[in-house]
Amino acid sequence: MTDILVIQHEETVGLGRLGLWLEAAGAHLRICRPDRGDQVPPRAGGADGLIVLGGTAAPHDDDRWPWLPDVRALQRTAVDARLPTLNICLGAQLCAAGYGVDVFRRTAPQLGVAELTLRPEAQEDRLFRGLPEHPQAVLWHQEEIAQLPAGAVHLIEGTDAPVQAFRMGDCAWSVQFHPEPDEETLAAWALGPGSLAAGRGPEEILASFARRAEDIEAHFQPVAERFVEVCRAEAASP
């Protein structure tokens, strides 16, 4: 089994469908919940891969989320160690902030399913090769990554928040979008207390996702499978 450490910041932002895809590809998922007192390990605890999930925090909300500095440090350590990493939404923002990039509060959040654009650099990328030119994915964020970290490879763009996916080194990916939510998870985000979608038509957001859920799965289940393949390959390399 391929051991993947997952940093989950809060209850309602879990692995969703992504967890099912990873397990079907042969991954063992080890969940770390710092919000429940788990310690963020400094070097991923010997795992073959790392996933850092999203959350409602901003990437420098260290006072309210005191484990965030440890996560940012772990992400940089993972890049240096060639540990395969997938950072999602807040995870991507934390990675960018850890490299000194400004992450700012948008005037209006991005919510719902959006069409993104695969950049030429993604055609040979180990994770994103094979994606269609315009994949669809869920956006659910109010912070925006201002620009790429130094040395990063820009892989996916689109919308008025163009940094949608980038890679640091050979095998550390960050995505601003969400490949993982199922209908239940998205409903919790859209209809829950204090939702970003309040007053923004949450029912239409959910209906749009239901119409496109199969396409999103077809786009990103293979990405999850390739991530497990990368974890295996890097673990086997000398």
Side-chain angles (χ1 to χ4, degrees):
M1 296 291 282
T2 301
D3 184 49
I4 297 177
L5 175 66
V6 180
I7 308 296
Q8 179 175 343
H9 302 284
E10 57 187 292
E11 185 64 31
T12 60
V13 191
L15 280 164
R17 296 191 296 178
L18 178 61
L20 300 177
W21 303 336
L22 293 167
E23 289 177 334
H28 170 259
L29 303 172
R30 183 154 43 97
I31 310 298
C32 174
R33 291 290 301 272
D35 59 320
R36 295 180 175 176
D38 293 346
Q39 294 297 310
V40 176
R43 297 187 176 276
D48 301 313
L50 171 67
I51 295 174
V52 180
L53 295 174
T56 54
H60 285 298
D61 278 350
D62 299 352
D63 290 342
R64 293 192 305 118
W65 301 47
W67 59 88
L68 294 185
D70 292 337
V71 175
R72 294 192 296 267
L74 174 60
Q75 289 171 316
R76 292 195 61 140
T77 298
V79 172
D80 294 341
R82 290 180 56 95
L83 178 71
T85 301
L86 178 59
N87 303 306
I88 298 173
C89 199
L90 171 60
Q93 297 164 8
L94 286 165
C95 180
Y99 283 93
V101 169
D102 180 36
V103 180
F104 63 92
R105 176 65 55 91
R106 292 174 53 87
T107 303
Q110 288 194 312
L111 307 175
V113 179
E115 183 178 271
L116 305 176
T117 299
L118 207 66
R119 291 175 56 87
E121 296 90 332
Q123 299 298 332
E124 302 301 323
D125 182 73
R126 298 165 80 184
L127 216 59
F128 294 127
R129 67 178 189 272
L131 277 176
E133 182 180 359
H134 295 291
Q136 299 182 63
V138 172
L139 299 181
W140 205 273
H141 65 105
Q142 58 183 341
E143 314 297 331
E144 181 176 334
I145 300 168
Q147 70 264 350
L148 294 174
V153 178
H154 196 181
L155 299 169
I156 298 178
E157 60 189 358
T159 79
D160 65 346
V163 182
Q164 290 292 337
F166 63 89
R167 189 186 72 243
M168 300 295 298
D170 292 331
C171 52
W173 292 270
S174 293
V175 298
Q176 178 61 84
F177 56 87
H178 285 274
E180 81 281 4
D182 53 23
E183 290 188 52
E184 181 179 358
T185 297
L186 197 62
W189 296 354
L191 303 173
S195 171
L196 293 177
R200 298 176 183 272
E203 292 80 7
E204 174 52 33
I205 290 173
L206 295 173
S208 174
F209 176 77
R211 292 192 297 269
R212 303 178 187 181
E214 290 186 5
D215 289 338
I216 294 172
E217 180 169 359
H219 296 163
F220 291 106
Q221 183 170 3
V223 171
E225 293 166 352
R226 287 193 286 271
F227 183 70
V228 176
E229 291 171 3
V230 170
C231 291
R232 288 199 190 104
E234 292 297 321
S237 66

